[in-house]
Amino acid sequence: GEGLYGGSDDLDDSGTLRYVRVWYGGADIGFDPTNPENSGNEINGITFGGVGNGTTLENCEVAFNKDDGFEFFGGSVNGKWLSALFVDDDAFDTDEGYVGKLQFIFALVDKDGDHAAEMDSKDDNQRRSFPTISGATFIKSDHTTGYANGLIQIREGGGGQFYNMVLTGRAGSGIQNTDCFTETRSSSSPPPANNMDYLYWDPSNFINTIRADNAASLQFDIDSSCGWENSDQSSQTSPPDIQLSPSQWSSVEDIFQIDPRPLDGGNLYSTFATPPSDNFFTSTDYSGAFSSGLWLDGWSYLSVAGLLPSGNVLPTASNTIPASITSDTVLTAGTWYMTEQVFVSNGATLTIQQGTTIQSYRQDAGGKAPTLVIEQGCKIEASGTAAAPITFTSVLPDANLPQRGTWGGLIILGFGTITGGGTDNIEGLDAGLGIYGGSDDTDNSGTLRYVRVWYGGADIGFDPTNPENSGNE
């Protein structure tokens, strides 16, 4: 008699969950001594059984759960700003006629996880599952099993409508659609009002996944029971241009930093859809779960663990230092960002005005720590004052500082004499970069005056076989 759910009241109010974190759960709630490791009763992080849309669900997170993150069995509860991190099965799971609405949802699926979303129904039995989702960012890691699995799996007659979705990382496909029944499936015709026997995938959604074993790219994996209307399944093929999504990781231990927001001026700001117009969905001018605001800041596991930049860090095209500086350039007083390694070359002079702060990310997408490199024959003119020093520092929140190794550092390379004569190069930089040495001990590489270099020393030459200590700190 315990654990019952279901009925006919979609306005049901089961209360409020707001800024709730459910971490490290999922243990077996129905112990089976014959199979103590896996009785099948591992519990989801948060399970909603027949919960109605009178319930409030906002700013909640499930992390490191043994089973699914958020599970919706029927009901119609709506949710915004939901995060599922590193769970052992599916980040989001819907079944048994769930018809709720979700907006701004985020999933990081590591090597042990399965799908970012598994969306089932019960064949043609009514009512059909029909979630409406707008604004999701789903990222899957490298892995060694389940190569063919889709990042989203829709099966057993599951329906729904999906807008402003961003699917990226390593997966067999973006959408895996299997075991279909009489529901209509389309990317060209949104569902008519009140028609839940329908699966609609908006063509402005982004799918940019590749298989982990062979790097093959497949947006849709559709089995023979799931013919789409006029074979019109469609999605964007261009990269989603996320600010920082590491390309080489398999578990949280491999992530030094992540920033899931869209790159300023990138594709997520140019291609997006209008979700259904009602009193729940927020109209946006971007795709994905994030805009410039980082709603995970301050409370998500990623923030607590120091894996997110501070929420007030906002790189744009006008305040991000370019990777290559080949002509004289001035960084005016204010805040600038380094998101990748920066090389000053071709005889250029980089002038940094007093009072300037340069905040750096911990890594770029390839794992290398952003670093400012002044090549031979170039100059840095960085003259601060005691009252207005020049500061190189981290993008991390103050709560995560001080700590060592939060970005690379400052490298200045000249023509002065080194032991043995000739030249050498800085280990960790790509071949042909980082050369120093010569015979000119009067070489002038510029000025450093009242310059502070804080929290640096991270690895500038990422080695995936030894990410903690490649020797290139």
Side-chain angles (χ1 to χ4, degrees):
E2 297 178 332
L4 297 178
Y5 62 92
S8 59
D9 184 7
D10 276 338
L11 301 178
D12 174 69
D13 180 358
S14 294
T16 300
L17 293 178
R18 185 178 284 127
Y19 285 102
V20 173
R21 305 182 297 194
V22 179
W23 296 352
Y24 316 125
D28 199 322
I29 63 170
F31 180 69
D32 179 357
T34 66
N35 189 9
E37 288 298 320
N38 184 18
S39 73
N41 295 316
E42 300 80 27
I43 196 65
N44 308 299
I46 306 178
T47 302
F48 299 91
V51 175
N53 58 40
T55 305
T56 299
L57 172 62
E58 295 177 351
N59 294 96
C60 292
E61 179 173 272
V62 177
F64 300 101
N65 203 71
K66 190 177 180 182
D67 200 15
D68 296 335
F70 294 85
E71 174 83 52
F72 301 90
F73 291 121
S76 59
V77 59
N78 303 322
K80 283 186 175 180
W81 305 293
L82 307 180
S83 168
L85 309 174
F86 317 117
V87 304
D88 205 22
D89 196 359
D90 306 313
F92 296 89
D93 196 322
T94 63
D95 201 350
E96 295 188 351
Y98 173 68
V99 297
K101 303 168 185 177
L102 302 173
Q103 189 172 28
F104 311 130
I105 64 175
F106 176 57
L108 283 178
V109 185
D110 69 9
K111 63 181 178 62
D112 298 319
D114 198 356
H115 309 284
E118 182 178 84
M119 308 190 131
D120 302 338
S121 197
K122 292 292 183 269
D123 306 338
D124 271 337
N125 294 321
Q126 298 298 316
R127 84 185 162 188
R128 190 184 304 278
S129 296
F130 188 80
T132 301
I133 300 177
S134 181
T137 299
F138 293 160
I139 302 173
K140 171 70 175 174
S141 76
D142 203 357
H143 51 280
T144 57
T145 60
Y147 291 128
N149 289 352
L151 194 50
I152 295 179
Q153 182 182 61
I154 305 172
R155 62 181 183 174
E156 297 173 356
Q161 49 185 334
F162 301 86
Y163 305 87
N164 297 322
M165 308 289 289
V166 177
L167 280 57
T168 190
R170 313 266 177 158
S173 60
I175 299 295
Q176 187 176 26
N177 190 201
T178 65
D179 303 317
C180 296
F181 286 83
T182 62
E183 72 281 359
T184 299
R185 295 165 294 279
S186 178
S187 277
S188 59
S189 302
N194 302 316
N195 183 352
M196 292 191 292
D197 290 329
Y198 214 99
L199 172 57
Y200 176 69
W201 180 263
D202 192 89
S204 66
N205 295 331
F206 285 79
I207 298 179
N208 184 238
T209 56
I210 61 172
R211 280 180 65 121
D213 56 341
N214 60 18
S217 177
L218 180 64
Q219 288 192 316
F220 296 88
D221 181 9
I222 298 174
D223 80 7
S224 59
S225 69
C226 297
W228 280 53
E229 191 175 73
N230 301 316
S231 299
D232 70 349
Q233 64 271 15
S234 179
S235 205
Q236 298 295 304
T237 60
S238 53
D241 293 338
I242 290 173
Q243 181 67 50
L244 176 56
S245 179
S247 60
Q248 301 181 70
W249 70 285
S250 59
S251 65
V252 65
E253 289 81 9
D254 305 323
I255 298 177
F256 300 117
Q257 199 155 67
I258 187 168
D259 188 343
R261 295 175 294 180
L263 189 69
D264 182 51
N267 291 322
L268 297 186
Y269 281 121
S270 61
T271 304
F272 52 89
T274 301
S277 179
D278 60 17
N279 59 5
F280 174 78
F281 285 109
T282 301
S283 182
T284 66
D285 58 359
Y286 57 89
S287 287
F290 304 91
S291 61
S292 58
L294 188 56
W295 49 262
L296 298 169
D297 182 44
W299 65 277
S300 168
Y301 170 85
L302 297 174
S303 183
V304 173
L307 302 180
L308 288 178
S310 174
N312 61 17
V313 167
L314 188 59
T316 67
S318 61
N319 65 17
T320 299
I321 304 174
S324 178
I325 297 175
T326 58
S327 60
D328 293 352
T329 299
V330 177
L331 300 186
T332 55
T335 299
W336 292 80
Y337 297 105
M338 273 203 302
T339 61
E340 57 189 330
Q341 293 180 350
V342 174
F343 293 87
V344 179
S345 62
N346 196 42
T349 296
L350 176 64
T351 301
I352 305 176
Q353 293 184 346
Q354 66 183 44
T356 298
T357 296
I358 298 172
Q359 291 184 267
S360 180
Y361 279 70
R362 168 61 177 81
Q363 67 176 86
D364 63 14
K368 297 178 180 180
T371 298
L372 176 59
V373 182
I374 311 298
E375 297 274 22
Q376 286 181 314
C378 300
K379 291 183 179 181
I380 179 171
E381 294 294 344
S383 290
T385 67
I390 293 166
T391 306
F392 291 80
T393 186
S394 169
V395 295
L396 286 176
D398 289 343
N400 296 113
L401 297 171
Q403 63 171 291
R404 302 180 181 94
T406 70
W407 63 288
L410 173 59
I411 299 174
I412 303 173
L413 306 169
F415 288 107
T417 304
I418 62 174
T419 301
T423 62
D424 205 343
N425 66 283
I426 301 295
E427 291 186 18
L429 296 179
D430 291 342
L433 301 173
I435 297 172
Y436 62 93
S439 58
D440 183 5
D441 283 337
T442 63
D443 176 68
N444 179 6
S445 293
T447 303
L448 295 179
R449 182 178 292 121
Y450 287 102
V451 173
R452 308 183 296 191
V453 179
W454 292 352
Y455 316 128
D459 198 323
I460 63 171
F462 179 70
D463 179 358
T465 66
N466 190 10
E468 288 297 326
N469 185 19
S470 74
N472 296 318
E473 300 76 28

